[in-house]
Amino acid sequence: HPISVRKDSEGNYIIIAGERRYRACKLLGKETISAVESKVKEEDIGYLQMAENLNRADLKFYEIADFIALRIAAGDMQIDIAKRLGMSTTTVNMYSAWRKAPEWLKDYKERFDDIRVVYEFVRLAEKEPEKLQAFIAQLDSSKRLTRTTVRDFNASLSVEQSVISDNEAAASS
């Protein structure tokens, strides 16, 4: 696929999409690469780049979340972001929750694989921050944070609540 470029104010070409392809060609010693000049507006460049990067296998959820947070801060509506990135508004909402995550949870960002799990952890951190932080801290540091981890945390809360209820019942007898 050809790369996408645009001219800057000085007449130089700037890569909009395809930087990795460009670098790969350079590494192979190629002097030229196919390119398509785009008349894209400045404010649309980020969307084009992110849409292309969404196809990368190594793109991290927080890179997407940071882009979405920037667009929201710039005044874009979640529904418009979703359309432009080819996502559902629900998915954009999950990514946008990352900006509300406490810093201690963001420290674990490399252990998350799935944005749905991130969203669940952010919601749990709003409700039970101290308990969740203690729960994650006691896990093996190589353990991924998954749906099973969410389920295990919720189960630990249920057990704790059950113990409290049993103690209250014993105290009132």
Side-chain angles (χ1 to χ4, degrees):
H1 295 291
I3 64 172
S4 296
V5 297
R6 70 176 177 86
K7 280 189 177 178
D8 66 11
S9 59
E10 298 166 7
N12 298 311
Y13 286 102
I14 297 174
I15 297 172
I16 297 172
E19 183 178 344
R20 286 183 308 285
R21 281 174 277 159
Y22 171 77
R23 282 190 266 137
C25 285
K26 295 281 278 186
L27 287 172
L28 292 171
K30 295 191 176 210
E31 304 248 341
T32 61
I33 186 170
S34 297
V36 175
E37 184 176 357
S38 179
K39 303 289 184 196
V40 69
K41 297 178 204 167
E42 185 76 32
E43 63 268 14
D44 293 334
I45 291 173
Y47 279 104
L48 289 172
Q49 291 170 332
M50 182 53 69
E52 178 174 287
N53 286 338
L54 286 172
N55 295 319
R56 273 184 22 216
D58 62 342
L59 188 64
K60 305 289 187 182
F61 82 87
Y62 51 84
E63 294 172 311
I64 301 167
D66 289 345
F67 175 79
I68 289 171
L70 284 172
R71 297 313 319 154
I72 290 171
D76 293 357
M77 303 289 290
Q78 286 189 12
I79 192 165
D80 296 326
I81 296 169
K83 285 178 186 173
R84 293 176 83 175
L85 294 179
M87 296 178 172
S88 70
T89 52
T90 301
T91 302
V92 169
N93 183 51
M94 284 190 242
Y95 279 110
S96 67
W98 181 244
R99 61 193 167 122
K100 295 185 275 185
E103 287 305 314
W104 63 264
L105 187 59
K106 289 181 178 180
D107 290 341
Y108 295 104
K109 69 183 180 185
E110 295 298 333
R111 292 173 61 184
F112 291 104
D113 290 326
D114 183 341
I115 191 58
R116 287 169 185 81
V117 174
V118 171
Y119 179 74
E120 290 181 47
F121 270 95
V122 171
R123 290 184 59 216
L124 288 169
E126 291 171 350
K127 295 176 185 172
E128 298 285 353
E130 295 84 14
K131 292 177 184 176
L132 181 61
Q133 188 172 10
F135 180 82
I136 294 173
Q138 58 88 30
L139 297 174
D140 178 344
S141 64
S142 65
K143 182 172 173 46
R144 305 297 297 168
L145 299 175
T146 64
R147 288 183 177 168
T148 302
T149 316
V150 171
R151 198 172 20 247
D152 291 347
F153 175 70
N154 284 326
S156 75
L157 291 179
S158 296
V159 167
E160 181 181 301
Q161 189 59 40
S162 176
V163 169
I164 291 170
S165 296
D166 290 348
N167 289 342
E168 288 173 353
S172 66
S173 318

